Amino acid sequence: MRDTSAFSVTKALKTATGFLPQAWAGGWLSLLVILALVIGGPMAAIAFTTPLAGLALVVLLVIAKLMTQGGLYRVALFGKSACEEGLGLGGLQFGPPEWRLFVASLVVTAFFALMAATLFIVFAIALSFSGLTHGYDTTMQAVQALIARHDGIDYLFIAYIIGSFLFLVFVGLKFALLAAANIAERRLVTLNALGLTSGHVGRICLGLLVILLPFGLICGLVSQGLGHAGQARLVVHAALMSLYIFLFLPLTVGFLAASYRQIVTIRSK
């Protein structure tokens, strides 16, 4: 007999697909704003050629990202009640949920950076004690050399690099439901989001791969076909960003929101 209490990737993906019309209806304006910033922002920053222009672009992108996330997750998690949760016109709003997303992102980014720095420091110390850094000006030069040489003890350090990378990816997936939790629970969720995905990381990873791998393949194929064509690259860049923002981003939000609801329901039984 089939276990209906298990987390279903297929069900979450179907929900994500059905979420697309709702995402476009509820977040169309925020999606247009972030698309305009992604496409036109860099060109404007280059045109003004000042540090302030670059800083302003970064700030605007962060605000637009938070509004888009907040709007799409409200629609995905609350449906017709999204307006009661603070959904603005076309997904443009900046209220307590957006502030929670911002603070949670800062905390998790700091936590992630601390782990990455710790892994790098351990690696650098071990590499230095092994004597493999002798004759090189920087640690990165020594790393490039051992990867190119890949002989003897080099394999141990290469394994450490691969293992560290996979560990950081795993930790990143553990935080996949961070935004959904902050919107759904109406409170600040930071490091306690780690427990939400316990036992489900593999399935969430599979679902994200199903959604995002096609976009990666499209980008790779298009980049190879274009070569170094200048004007054409700008047009294709705009097309790819439009595809990601209006299709793959809502699909990702829909999948993660559906995954969050499934996991919370399973744990409440």
Side-chain angles (χ1 to χ4, degrees):
M1 190 173 179
R2 188 179 177 182
D3 183 10
T4 56
S5 66
F7 173 61
S8 170
V9 178
T10 304
K11 183 180 177 181
L13 288 171
K14 287 181 179 178
T15 303
T17 304
F19 169 64
L20 281 176
Q22 301 171 49
W24 295 331
W28 63 273
L29 190 52
S30 64
L31 293 172
L32 282 173
V33 168
I34 200 167
L35 177 63
L37 287 171
V38 169
I39 294 175
M43 290 186 286
I46 292 171
F48 286 106
T49 63
T50 63
L52 283 178
L55 178 61
L57 174 61
V58 171
V59 171
L60 288 173
L61 281 170
V62 169
I63 294 172
K65 176 180 177 290
L66 292 170
M67 289 193 297
T68 303
Q69 267 191 320
L72 291 179
Y73 274 108
R74 280 181 178 90
V75 175
L77 292 165
F78 300 110
K80 295 179 179 179
S81 303
C83 290
E84 298 173 15
E85 297 294 329
L87 179 69
L89 175 64
L92 285 183
Q93 69 289 305
F94 204 96
E98 282 72 30
W99 281 111
R100 289 198 298 272
L101 288 174
F102 178 65
V103 174
S105 297
L106 287 180
V107 173
V108 170
T109 300
F111 176 73
F112 198 81
L114 181 62
M115 285 196 302
T118 302
L119 289 170
F120 177 77
I121 290 170
V122 171
F123 175 80
I125 292 173
L127 193 65
S128 178
F129 282 147
S130 71
L132 294 177
T133 57
H134 293 164
Y136 299 100
D137 295 329
T138 65
T139 301
M140 289 309 299
Q141 288 181 357
V143 171
Q144 291 171 356
L146 72 87
I147 292 175
R149 188 172 56 240
H150 56 271
D151 181 46
I153 196 174
D154 295 341
Y155 286 109
L156 180 62
F157 289 100
I158 292 171
Y160 181 90
I161 293 171
I162 295 171
S164 297
F165 173 76
L166 292 176
F167 173 73
L168 292 175
V169 170
F170 174 77
V171 173
L173 288 169
K174 290 284 286 181
F175 283 112
L177 301 182
L178 179 73
N182 272 280
I183 299 297
E185 297 180 20
R186 303 182 182 90
R187 65 184 179 90
L188 180 62
V189 178
T190 55
L191 300 183
N192 42 340
L194 282 167
L196 282 171
T197 52
S198 295
H200 306 291
V201 172
R203 291 186 177 94
I204 290 174
C205 179
L206 177 61
L208 291 174
L209 282 175
V210 170
I211 293 172
L212 297 175
L213 190 58
F215 179 72
L217 292 174
I218 291 170
C219 290
L221 291 172
V222 169
S223 297
Q224 282 188 342
L226 277 178
H228 299 286
Q231 196 66 30
R233 289 187 76 88
L234 293 176
V235 174
V236 172
H237 169 71
L240 288 174
M241 287 299 98
S242 301
L243 183 64
Y244 174 76
I245 290 171
F246 279 94
L247 180 60
F248 291 100
L249 176 59
L251 281 174
T252 302
V253 170
F255 171 74
L256 293 176
S259 299
Y260 174 82
R261 284 200 302 267
Q262 277 197 58
I263 290 171
V264 169
T265 301
I266 291 168
R267 293 188 176 185
S268 66
K269 291 180 180 179

